[in-house]
């Protein structure tokens, strides 16, 4: 039996990180409630963030306090997140994907390893087919262009077989100066790369979002359908409210204020 489609939504403005966390939790709770009668939707949120450094759930607030103070002085936000992984950066020029999908819809239920593996292979295939970039195999989670250049990170959370958090993929050169300020993902001697820097070409973010939607659908064998917030009740209202917060937040620093 064919699985139902995944509904995707691409945000028009870079989002502050905290509202995006609240949005994921709102959608997670709605999915849990609607799953009782199998009326819940699987959703993929695609966006850019305002400059923000996030620590993973294994890092305590106290352990990253000094980094918090240093990085916020440069103009970025800083938060401890519930995702897996360690310290990383999100910001404009980077596509972030938050899939909120029910893994129990697959037969048998898709496990965490398969879910993450498909996500990694999706990005590897996308950069090869659309930008002529070959990934470099690595023992670490994420996508590398060579042993020391990482172009994409993955950090997920799975509760009640429902996913949240996801992947971050560097498209333009803009994130690179921010990444240079930290040891991202706890990996010494690893630097951030991007499509623009590796392929030596400009990349249109709007077109890139569209291509990532298609790549995600192929990776998880699902039809992708655009979500219209005005037709989605509580879920749609939460999405539009999050976009409104992005508009109110105003401008952000384009480079670290050193």
């Amino acid at each position: 039996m064919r699985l139902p489609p995944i509904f995707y939504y691409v945000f028009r403005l870079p989002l502050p990180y905290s509202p995006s966390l609240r949005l994921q939790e709102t959608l997670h709770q709605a999915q849990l409630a609607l799953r009782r009668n199998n009326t819940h939707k699987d959703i993929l949120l695609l966006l850019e963030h305002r400059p923000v450094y996030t620590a993973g759930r294994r890092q305590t607030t106290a352990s990253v306090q000094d980094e918090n103070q240093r990085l916020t002085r440069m103009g970025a936000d800083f938060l401890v997140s519930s995702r897996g992984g360690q310290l990383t950066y999100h910001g404009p020029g980077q596509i972030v994907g938050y899939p909120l999908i029910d893994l129990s819809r697959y037969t048998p239920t898709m496990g965490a390893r398969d879910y993450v593996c498909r996500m990694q292979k999706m990005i590897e295939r996308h950069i090869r087919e659309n930008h002529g970039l070959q990934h470099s195999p690595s023992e670490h989670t994420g996508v590398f262009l060579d042993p020391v250049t990482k172009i994409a990170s993955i950090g997920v959370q799975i509760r009640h077989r429902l996913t949240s958090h996801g992947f971050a993929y560097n498209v333009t050169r803009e994130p690179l100066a921010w990444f240079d300020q930290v040891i991202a993902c706890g990996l010494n001697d690893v630097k951030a790369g991007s499509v623009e820097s590796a392929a030596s070409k400009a990349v249109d973010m709007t077109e890139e979002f569209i291509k990532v939607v298609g790549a995600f659908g192929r990776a998880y064998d699902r039809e992708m359908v655009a979500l219209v917030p005005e037709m989605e009740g509580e879920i749609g209202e939460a999405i539009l409210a999050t976009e409104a917060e992005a508009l109110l937040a105003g401008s952000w620093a384009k480079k670290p204020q050193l």
Side-chain angles (χ1 to χ4, degrees):
M1 184 174 70
R2 186 166 179 80
L3 294 173
I6 294 174
F7 291 82
Y8 70 90
Y9 188 77
V10 179
F11 285 86
R12 292 166 287 184
L13 293 171
L15 299 185
Y17 194 76
S18 291
S20 77
L21 290 182
R22 294 197 302 270
L23 176 60
Q24 289 184 76
E25 186 60 28
T26 296
L27 299 186
H28 174 79
Q29 294 301 326
Q31 288 174 319
L32 274 179
L34 294 171
R35 186 163 67 175
R36 296 167 188 158
N37 54 15
N38 199 33
T39 59
H40 59 304
K41 284 183 168 68
D42 287 337
I43 297 170
L44 172 64
L45 304 176
L46 288 170
L47 55 119
E48 297 171 85
H49 273 303
R50 294 166 61 87
V52 60
Y53 292 94
T54 69
R57 59 177 173 261
R58 295 182 181 178
Q59 296 171 281
T60 65
T61 301
S63 70
V64 292
Q65 183 175 359
D66 290 344
E67 283 290 79
N68 183 342
Q69 294 174 354
R70 179 177 70 88
L71 298 172
T72 53
R73 282 197 299 268
M74 294 191 311
D77 293 331
F78 189 99
L79 294 100
V80 176
S81 168
S82 57
R83 62 164 172 78
Q86 299 187 54
L87 184 67
T88 192
Y89 168 79
H90 298 309
Q94 178 191 75
I95 290 180
V96 174
Y98 292 139
L100 295 107
I101 62 178
D102 185 352
L103 298 181
S104 67
R105 281 191 155 132
Y106 291 86
T107 304
T109 296
M110 185 181 294
R113 184 184 297 272
D114 186 12
Y115 174 64
V116 171
C117 183
R118 289 188 189 213
M119 192 174 293
Q120 181 162 321
K121 290 184 179 300
M122 171 198 76
I123 300 169
E124 292 170 354
R125 179 178 178 181
H126 168 73
I127 63 172
R128 182 178 69 250
E129 294 182 349
N130 291 285
H131 302 294
L133 299 176
Q134 185 63 45
H135 80 280
S136 175
S138 175
E139 62 181 304
H140 303 293
T141 302
V143 179
F144 289 74
L145 297 177
D146 58 51
V148 298
T149 307
K150 189 176 185 181
I151 196 172
S153 299
I154 295 171
V156 306
Q157 183 178 39
I158 302 173
R159 295 173 290 165
H160 310 291
R161 302 181 302 282
L162 296 170
T163 69
S164 59
H165 297 281
F167 63 89
Y169 154 58
N170 300 330
V171 180
T172 75
R173 292 180 173 85
E174 187 170 348
L176 305 188
W178 293 95
F179 270 110
D180 286 345
Q181 307 306 313
V182 296
I183 299 174
C185 305
L187 300 177
N188 290 301
D189 302 322
V190 169
K191 63 179 182 178
S194 72
V195 170
E196 284 192 346
S197 56
S200 299
K201 65 176 183 178
V203 180
D204 183 273
M205 288 293 289
T206 300
E207 292 182 4
E208 198 70 5
F209 274 114
I210 294 170
K211 292 174 181 177
V212 169
V213 169
F216 191 89
R218 289 189 296 274
Y220 292 94
D221 194 25
R222 304 285 288 276
E223 178 188 4
M224 304 298 292
V225 175
L227 184 146
V228 181
E230 292 80 2
M231 299 176 61
E232 295 298 336
E234 177 189 357
I235 288 176
E237 290 173 3
I239 288 173
L240 293 176
T242 304
E243 269 199 331
E245 288 195 60
L247 183 61
L248 290 172
S251 61
W252 60 87
K254 300 296 183 182
K255 294 182 179 179
Q257 306 301 300
L258 303 177

